Amino acid sequence: MVAALAAAFVTPLALADVTIYGSIRADLEYDHFGDHNGVSPTNAGATRIVDSSSRIGFKGVDKWDNAGWATIWQVETGIGAAPASADQNGTKPKAFGGGSWGGRNTFIGFTGTDFGTFRAGNYDSTYKNTFTSSKMSPLFDDFLDSTDFKGNKGTWGQLQTRLNDNLAYESPVWGGFQVRANIALDGSPSAAGSAPIYGIGALYNYGGFNAAAVYQYAKNRSFAQLGGISTADTTGTTNTATPPVTTYNVTDGAKTDGIELAAGYNFDFGLGLGLGWEHISTDNNATVAGLGSGTLSWNNYLVTGNYWFNPKFELQALYSRANKVYSVDDLTGQQYSLSSVYYLSKQTRWYTSAVGLKNSGKATGYQFAFQNNSGSLVAKNGQTNFTVLTGFRSDF
């Protein structure tokens, strides 16, 4: 009897093809905050430990009886999160000890050798995963978060985000060419109706050359309503009014388009170079204070490079620029960094970086704060910030 009970519990585990994986990433940094339009910050410097999207995950594959097809699933949880309140400079860097269960890429799907991969759930948009999960990643995504320039308040990749009700597709690779696409359904119950987000992209690889073109369209959403969203389903928030009023993250008639074009080349002697261009167009369908109404558009630029001295030691450099955001002449953000990466083992890397972030916006007019991906640097209008850091990444 005991043996039969033991077998009943052990057998499912033995048959399941499940992998536990993760990554612990953090840095110790000193952040210096410059004057904000001539006003000195309350605290010009801060030393702290910042999380760089540490995570733990579980993923599985179940091969179907029909050869060539399999069910795939994944549950991934972030270990770090931003604190509940900002510090004196308005920054909210991520720290250990947070994250919601399944808050990162969490999905179920299926894959076929000849047909590609389909996923449904909480998953990165095509606009994002083209650069974070592809052959483009070594040049465009191999950074600690405090050095990373992507995201709504970043200086490039401003529409990149994760979408909660996402249907995503990746084709097989045909002669170095791949297609990716997604639809974030978003059945919002607001007066604006649904606010779906569509994305389509193409990747091409030939030897050391990689290129990508991505387009994204968001219906009933302004640029501000796309920023930092963790879900495409806008459930809204209820205030204390009587009767309660629900505010939705959509605007009837608004729309936002984004285009990313990028290319990179990895030379045999260890040098890698990448270039990126992004064009964003947004129609708020309403007058916004300091901006006016109508369609507003701007361009973002990126230059990135690395050099491998040997298989264990790499130098990274980047410059990114968000140029005239919201079509405001002086509202330009720039991020630049120089980093060294040393591989202590196959799983553990040691990063050392110097990062600068500058906002050229005026004291008067529209206010927009640029920030790095960890939130440790936030540059308000007229502010220049700087950080030096050393950090580690260990994968398992």
Side-chain angles (χ1 to χ4, degrees):
M1 177 64 72
V2 174
L5 288 173
F9 284 101
V10 171
T11 300
L13 294 176
L15 293 177
D17 186 3
V18 179
T19 300
I20 301 175
Y21 68 95
S23 183
I24 307 298
R25 314 176 186 188
D27 61 84
L28 174 66
E29 60 185 68
Y30 172 77
D31 303 319
H32 176 77
F33 302 93
D35 292 349
H36 171 216
N37 286 319
V39 179
S40 298
T42 305
N43 182 7
T47 302
R48 46 200 170 184
I49 296 175
V50 178
D51 174 73
S52 279
S53 298
S54 300
R55 77 287 304 265
I56 185 170
F58 306 84
K59 57 185 177 181
V61 178
D62 179 31
K63 294 182 180 180
W64 295 4
D65 294 337
N66 295 328
W69 286 95
T71 300
I72 58 172
W73 60 267
Q74 178 175 297
V75 178
E76 187 171 292
T77 300
I79 296 174
S85 59
D87 67 15
Q88 292 174 319
N89 292 295
T91 58
K92 298 178 68 176
K94 291 180 285 185
F96 285 126
S100 58
W101 175 256
R104 293 183 58 83
N105 284 334
T106 298
F107 58 83
I108 189 167
F110 55 93
T111 183
T113 305
D114 298 324
F115 295 94
T117 301
F118 301 82
R119 295 179 176 89
N122 188 35
Y123 193 64
D124 289 344
S125 65
T126 299
Y127 203 84
K128 180 179 180 181
N129 68 40
T130 297
F131 298 93
T132 59
S133 181
S134 73
K135 288 182 178 293
M136 306 290 288
S137 302
L139 278 171
F140 292 83
D141 195 53
D142 186 21
F143 310 98
L144 288 178
D145 280 8
S146 292
T147 312
D148 198 350
F149 48 87
K150 301 185 294 297
N152 169 254
K153 295 181 180 179
T155 47
W156 197 82
Q158 291 182 321
L159 298 184
Q160 295 187 13
T161 191
R162 184 172 296 124
L163 301 166
N164 180 261
D165 51 2
N166 200 13
L167 298 175
Y169 170 71
E170 296 179 12
S171 76
V173 178
W174 303 295
F177 180 78
Q178 185 187 44
V179 174
R180 298 185 180 188
N182 79 279
I183 302 173
L185 301 175
D186 189 20
S188 173
S190 74
S194 63
I197 300 172
Y198 305 95
I200 187 167
L203 285 156
Y204 180 72
N205 165 253
Y206 181 78
F209 176 73
N210 293 286
V214 193
Y215 172 75
Q216 180 172 284
Y217 169 76
K219 179 183 177 182
N220 290 332
R221 289 186 185 272
S222 67
F223 173 71
Q225 292 168 335
L226 282 168
I229 60 172
S230 59
T231 173
D233 183 14
T234 54
T235 54
T237 56
T238 303
N239 62 23
T240 57
T242 304
V245 177
T246 302
T247 303
Y248 295 94
N249 195 33
V250 295
T251 298
D252 191 11
K255 61 180 181 179
T256 301
D257 299 84
I259 299 172
E260 295 173 310
L261 300 177
Y265 195 89
N266 295 300
F267 296 89
D268 292 337
F269 58 88
L271 176 66
L273 295 174
L275 296 172
W277 172 76
E278 178 180 32
H279 178 77
I280 295 176
S281 175
T282 184
D283 188 344
N284 299 315
N285 198 32
T287 300
V288 177
L291 293 178
S293 59
T295 300
L296 307 171
S297 62
W298 63 95
N299 298 309
N300 303 326
Y301 306 93
L302 171 67
V303 179
T304 182
N306 58 18
Y307 184 77
W308 290 86
F309 289 90
N310 57 57
K312 285 184 170 291
F313 183 56
E314 173 193 12
L315 280 183
Q316 299 174 340
L318 70 88
Y319 173 78
S320 56
R321 179 186 181 96
N323 201 54
K324 300 180 181 180
V325 173
Y326 282 120
S327 301
V328 178
D329 285 343
D330 297 294
L331 191 53
T332 293
Q334 301 175 72
Q335 184 170 324
Y336 40 89
S337 68
L338 180 65
S339 306
S340 67
V341 185
Y342 187 80
Y343 283 70
L344 299 169
S345 69
K346 290 182 178 180
Q347 282 76 39
T348 300
R349 312 176 199 180
W350 172 30
Y351 290 78
T352 304
S353 303
V355 186
L357 183 63
K358 180 179 181 180
N359 186 335
S360 301
K362 290 185 177 181
T364 58
Y366 193 78
Q367 304 293 299
F368 184 90
F370 295 97
Q371 71 176 48
N372 59 357
N373 197 32
S374 72
S376 64
L377 291 182
V378 177
K380 302 175 183 177
N381 283 37
Q383 191 172 31
T384 299
N385 299 334
F386 183 81
T387 189
V388 289
L389 65 89
T390 185
F392 293 87
R393 167 180 170 172
S394 186
D395 302 328
F396 59 91

